[in-house]
Amino acid sequence: MNKIQFPQDFIWGAATASYQIEGAVNEGGRGASIWDTFSQQPGNVKNGDTGATACNSYHLYKEDVSLLKELGVSSYRFSMAWPRIFPEGTGSVNQEGLDYYHRLVDELLENNIEPMCTLYHWDLPQALQDQGGWEVRETVDAFNEYAKTVFESFKGKITKWITINEPWCASFLSNYLGVHAPGKKDLQIATTIAHHLLLAHGRAVQSLRQIDGDAEIGYAPNAGWSEAYSSSEEDKQAVRRANGWHIEWFMDPVFKGEYPDFLVQWFKEQENVTVPIQDGDLEIISSPIDFVGINYYTGNIARYDEGNGLFHVENLNFNYDHTDIGWPIYPEGFYKLLKYISDRYGSVPIYITENGACYNDGVENGRVNDVKRISYMKTHIASVNRALHSGVNIKGYLAWSLMDNFEWAEGYDMRFGLVHVDFDTFERTEKDSYYWYRDTIKKAGYDLSE
Ligand SMILES: CCOCCOc1ccc(-c2cn(C[C@@H]3NC[C@@H](O)[C@H]3O)nn2)cc1
């Protein structure tokens, strides 16, 4: 037997995001985003890299679609850049921006590839940031205007929408830890932003129901996985706080209509931070959705460590194998996470909207022999298969990423692609993992002995 086998109707895909691949930041009427501003500020991004040219996908999208077609995927997850549609965040619509995404979507549909579109993958219009950004509720209204505009424009073409990608990154990583744009370090601001992102999600869900009853909508929360070092109560509580911050903080409000109270109390008592909930917010946030996107990369073993960070928790470094970005390789965590989500939130349809590994192999004699990425994909796709066969309602798997791209604060050094990109010439070279994934898609699985 020795086979990892998926159902024939299992959806296979690949994912990218606008600021990471498009480039052409001053073309097509696009306005500035917070990532243009943040990446231009010295010290924020390795090597001073920016998304100004990226993979040049704004001009090379047909080549990208050809790569997807050859790969054999049935789904392509991309994101729209809000500043291409509304250069000033609100107000007049930039028709050139809509036209670009219509060209991309038409090319996908002509190749029988279903577009899965993320509305917000972190490139907030700078004009809105200048007026308070996600800290102010007016940005929630602006997001809803943007969402309604593209729902109307792409009705009948795009049938799977994702509202917000990784709200933990867009709130806490960006406004408490200061690692991503706009680089703030204030827990109350980050907590307020997290709430407004969830509110924006809920408002967009309600708007889609009014505009296009045939389309499906979800969101893509972060999902790391921490596991207690021991069965001691203090280790278990420390890990409960860590997982709660990454997972429950963003999933309980959507699926249960409330924040995890133990964490709300922790924020209040430890940090004097509160969530600015107004009447009706949680009803909006918990508007029923059609699927949830799970993004998984890594997990860790953790234990209680008095005074260590927000939650008094220490991630232990067991010298597990790591990818080139330094993240431990922990496929069992993926299986445990998926079971945890299914047990806690029920049979909501799940798409793995991101899973992949950073390996920085270069091109040698026209090939990229990224055997470690193939190994990572084998073990992690097997974890998805374990969860699927354990009753978790998983509908598809989309690899992060179709191609090497701008990996945020890590710049272009950290490569997650199935396709290698030369960032000077924009030449694309399919890696060995691309061919392995193509064969796996064709067989809807793979043989463990291979
Ligand atoms: C001070 C401690 O700070 C440590 C860094 O902390 C993080 C956490 C998480 C990430 C992270 C990066 N990615 C991959 C992206 N997902 C979406 C897509 O755009 C991919 O490029 N996911 N999570 C980075 C850094």
Side-chain angles (χ1 to χ4, degrees):
M1 184 59 179
N2 229 15
K3 279 185 74 65
I4 299 293
Q5 192 62 53
F6 287 83
Q8 285 310 312
D9 64 353
F10 191 76
I11 290 171
W12 299 93
T16 64
S18 46
Y19 190 73
Q20 295 182 271
I21 69 165
E22 287 179 0
V25 293
N26 298 317
E27 298 180 47
R30 177 182 180 278
S33 78
I34 58 174
W35 267 96
D36 299 283
T37 305
F38 186 74
S39 59
Q40 287 162 10
Q41 292 162 347
N44 287 336
V45 179
K46 279 191 184 149
N47 309 318
D49 290 342
T50 76
T53 52
C55 307
N56 197 26
S57 286
Y58 182 78
H59 295 290
L60 299 178
Y61 69 91
K62 287 192 175 183
E63 195 170 333
D64 297 345
V65 175
S66 298
L67 286 166
L68 290 162
K69 182 74 175 176
E70 172 61 30
L71 188 55
V73 297
S74 56
S75 176
Y76 176 50
R77 180 185 175 221
F78 67 99
S79 77
M80 287 185 185
W82 186 348
R84 287 197 186 280
I85 312 301
F86 286 95
E88 295 306 309
T90 59
S92 57
V93 175
N94 173 38
Q95 190 58 45
E96 276 190 277
L98 286 175
D99 292 347
Y100 164 63
Y101 292 112
H102 275 288
R103 292 196 298 275
L104 169 60
V105 169
D106 290 346
E107 191 72 17
L108 288 168
L109 295 174
E110 283 162 25
N111 285 278
N112 296 316
I113 298 168
E114 181 185 31
M116 179 187 280
C117 180
T118 305
L119 289 169
Y120 186 68
H121 205 122
W122 308 349
D123 38 4
L124 180 72
Q126 182 59 46
L128 292 176
Q129 183 65 31
D130 294 342
Q131 299 162 55
W134 287 111
E135 292 175 55
V136 300
R137 290 175 87 102
E138 287 77 7
T139 301
V140 175
D141 297 330
F143 180 78
N144 195 43
E145 178 190 19
Y146 157 56
K148 291 195 296 187
T149 300
V150 295
F151 290 156
E152 292 284 2
S153 182
F154 290 86
K155 184 174 180 177
K157 285 189 179 181
I158 295 179
T159 52
K160 282 197 179 63
W161 294 96
I162 290 172
T163 55
I164 309 283
N165 182 71
E166 295 182 347
W168 181 88
C169 284
S171 53
F172 291 108
L173 185 63
S174 306
N175 295 277
Y176 171 57
L177 298 174
V179 176
H180 282 187
K184 294 191 176 189
K185 296 185 177 181
D186 182 308
L187 186 62
Q188 181 59 69
I189 288 176
T191 304
T192 296
I193 287 174
H195 184 66
H196 290 166
L197 286 167
L198 286 170
L199 194 56
H201 158 80
R203 291 278 302 279
V205 171
Q206 294 186 341
S207 294
L208 183 70
R209 301 309 186 208
Q210 301 299 317
I211 294 168
D212 184 355
D214 295 330
E216 296 181 9
I217 192 163
Y219 74 135
N222 293 72
W225 181 254
S226 286
E227 203 165 299
Y229 176 69
S230 80
S231 58
S232 71
E233 195 54 30
E234 60 182 16
D235 283 0
K236 288 194 294 188
Q237 286 308 314
V239 163
R240 185 184 177 220
R241 293 189 292 269
N243 282 332
W245 192 37
H246 278 101
I247 304 167
E248 292 163 35
W249 194 265
F250 293 97
M251 293 189 77
D252 279 20
V254 172
F255 291 102
K256 295 176 176 290
E258 60 185 15
Y259 281 92
D261 191 56
F262 80 100
L263 266 185
V264 171
Q265 296 311 316
W266 181 274
F267 271 19
K268 176 65 183 157
E269 290 154 17
Q270 300 285 327
E271 308 291 338
N272 195 27
V273 159
T274 55
V275 187
I277 302 170
Q278 293 185 14
D279 288 349
D281 285 356
L282 286 163
E283 287 70 27
I284 294 169
I285 292 170
S286 59
S287 302
I289 58 177
D290 304 298
F291 63 88
V292 64
I294 296 299
N295 297 354
Y296 179 85
Y297 291 92
T298 185
N300 51 58
I301 310 293
R303 68 184 172 196
Y304 178 68
D305 183 16
E306 174 68 32
N308 186 337
L310 259 186
F311 302 113
H312 305 199
V313 66
E314 171 195 22
N315 289 338
L316 294 163
N317 180 354
F318 281 112
N319 283 323
Y320 283 150
D321 285 342
H322 295 69
T323 62
D324 287 350
I325 200 170
W327 298 348
I329 300 169
Y330 190 41
E332 295 76 13
F334 199 4
Y335 167 70
K336 293 174 181 176
L337 167 74
L338 290 167
K339 283 286 287 160
Y340 167 85
I341 287 171
S342 179
D343 293 346
R344 185 172 178 86
Y345 302 110
S347 61
V348 56
I350 292 173
Y351 288 90
I352 307 303
T353 37
E354 289 180 29
N355 175 245
C358 174
Y359 287 109
N360 304 325
D361 307 86
V363 180
E364 289 177 24
N365 304 318
R367 277 190 61 190
V368 181
N369 187 19
D370 60 336
V371 290
K372 289 184 178 179
R373 179 173 285 103
I374 293 171
S375 172
Y376 177 100
M377 292 181 78
K378 278 186 171 182
T379 54
H380 287 74
I381 288 173
S383 287
V384 173
N385 193 259
R386 286 182 67 196
L388 183 68
H389 284 86
S390 306
V392 181
N393 189 12
I394 305 170
K395 296 296 185 185
Y397 174 93
L398 291 89
W400 184 269
S401 175
L402 170 66
M403 68 187 108
D404 298 337
N405 58 53
F406 177 78
E407 179 50 38
W408 309 112
E410 301 292 342
Y412 294 106
D413 280 355
M414 295 300 161
R415 295 174 176 268
F416 280 84
L418 296 165
V419 175
H420 180 278
V421 176
D422 179 321
F423 292 107
D424 296 320
T425 66
F426 307 119
E427 182 179 10
R428 283 114 162 96
T429 306
E430 296 88 332
K431 302 179 187 177
D432 288 359
S433 57
Y434 172 96
Y435 296 111
W436 177 85
Y437 190 45
R438 180 194 62 185
D439 297 344
T440 298
I441 292 170
K442 204 171 291 178
K443 296 178 294 184
Y446 67 91
D447 193 318
L448 280 166
S449 57
E450 282 168 356

